[in-house]
Amino acid sequence: MTAPAIQIDGLRKSYGSHTAVDGVSLDVNEGEIFGLIGPDGAGKTTLMRVLCGLLGFDSGVCSVFGFDVGKESDEIKKIIGYMPQRFSLYPDLTVAENLRFFSDLFQVDPVNREERLQRLLSFSNLTPFQSRRAEALSGGMKQKLALSCTLIHTPRLLILDEPTTGVDPVSRREFWDILHELQQEGVTIIVSTPYMDEAGRCDRIVFLHKGSVLAMESPAHIARYFPKSLLEVESDTPYDTAARLGEHNAVHSAQLFGDRIHITVDEVNADFLEALYAVDPNIKEINVTEPDIEDVFMELMKE
């Protein structure tokens, strides 16, 4: 059995009196897309920067492809690609010029550089825009260019910090299609995202809160962390209905999900459902439903 690409055990990192990563332990398998989910301040970015060798850590064990992050960070930097939240493209350079600049920065072999550049342009659908200045690109194209610059030295591990924040839905989908193609080529990917639909495209996800792991599971099995029953309520007046249901003594929480309301309860039976219908005459239908990633995340945060 091959060792995981990343092994973290009891990792701690503090900034003065503030603990950013508090005893995190996790493994990431080679060729896996591994998602980091959590609110601002959960420790996602700090964890990523530690993995890249950009930050030291206080205690614990952390290795990337067998290299000790604390002692062999120079070796790790050769095999990873890191795309921070604000990737610094050069706005006055064209798409192709940005790629050539980063290929020089990563000391890509000149013999292979042009072939790799053209492959990345094609891979990211940027070939028609290679002469366009980076400042004139759309948000989605800027992110694809940033990813291409990160890939110029063919890293084994790709670390992406909320790469699609603020990008339109179509560009987000295209970006994730590229990530899955990279996965097929054997690249291991760690990605943080605020979008629950993107979390669902990962092989496994970990929920972080205040530097600690709340849960780690595949999206298909994450519902096992939901400790109660979940009901979906359809109403003509969802805001008012959610408020009324939230005041019911048997309802633990009532959250709006689009035009529906999700409520958590201990158990469900016919008498209980009848009592819920009586809460608000605008309720049209109540059904038992399976919790999704966002439901589980909200419940774990509340717990």
Side-chain angles (χ1 to χ4, degrees), residues 2-158:
T2 59
I6 293 169
Q7 293 180 294
I8 299 173
D9 186 19
L11 187 71
R12 295 182 183 277
K13 169 63 181 177
S14 297
Y15 300 99
S17 61
H18 173 69
T19 301
V21 177
D22 191 7
V24 167
S25 297
L26 57 86
D27 292 342
V28 179
N29 299 317
E30 188 167 358
E32 184 175 33
I33 298 182
F34 190 86
L36 303 181
I37 313 299
D40 291 343
K44 304 185 298 296
T45 297
T46 296
L47 182 59
M48 289 179 162
R49 289 178 177 172
V50 167
L51 283 171
C52 293
L54 299 175
L55 281 178
F57 53 95
D58 304 329
S59 61
V61 176
C62 184
S63 66
V64 175
F65 288 108
F67 293 109
D68 187 314
V69 172
K71 300 176 182 177
E72 301 172 288
S73 61
D74 287 343
E75 294 301 316
I76 290 170
K77 289 171 185 176
K78 296 175 185 177
I79 59 173
I80 66 169
Y82 174 50
M83 185 173 159
Q85 290 178 351
R86 291 178 177 85
F87 190 92
S88 298
L89 294 170
Y90 288 86
D92 56 338
L93 297 182
T94 66
V95 168
E97 287 169 344
N98 267 286
L99 281 167
R100 291 191 179 98
F101 172 80
F102 279 94
S103 71
D104 289 340
L105 193 65
F106 284 111
Q107 299 180 331
V108 175
D109 187 346
V111 175
N112 302 320
R113 186 179 72 169
E114 205 60 30
E115 178 186 348
R116 192 174 298 175
L117 185 146
Q118 293 303 323
R119 180 179 178 275
L120 286 170
L121 286 171
S122 176
F123 185 62
S124 57
N125 297 316
L126 288 173
T127 302
F129 309 100
Q130 60 183 301
S131 298
R132 183 177 296 184
R133 287 188 176 186
E135 64 185 356
L137 298 174
S138 68
M141 285 194 287
K142 284 179 181 176
Q143 292 303 85
K144 286 192 283 187
L145 174 56
L147 177 62
S148 297
C149 292
T150 305
L151 293 170
I152 195 69
H153 63 303
T154 317
R156 294 174 65 187
L157 171 65
L158 194 57

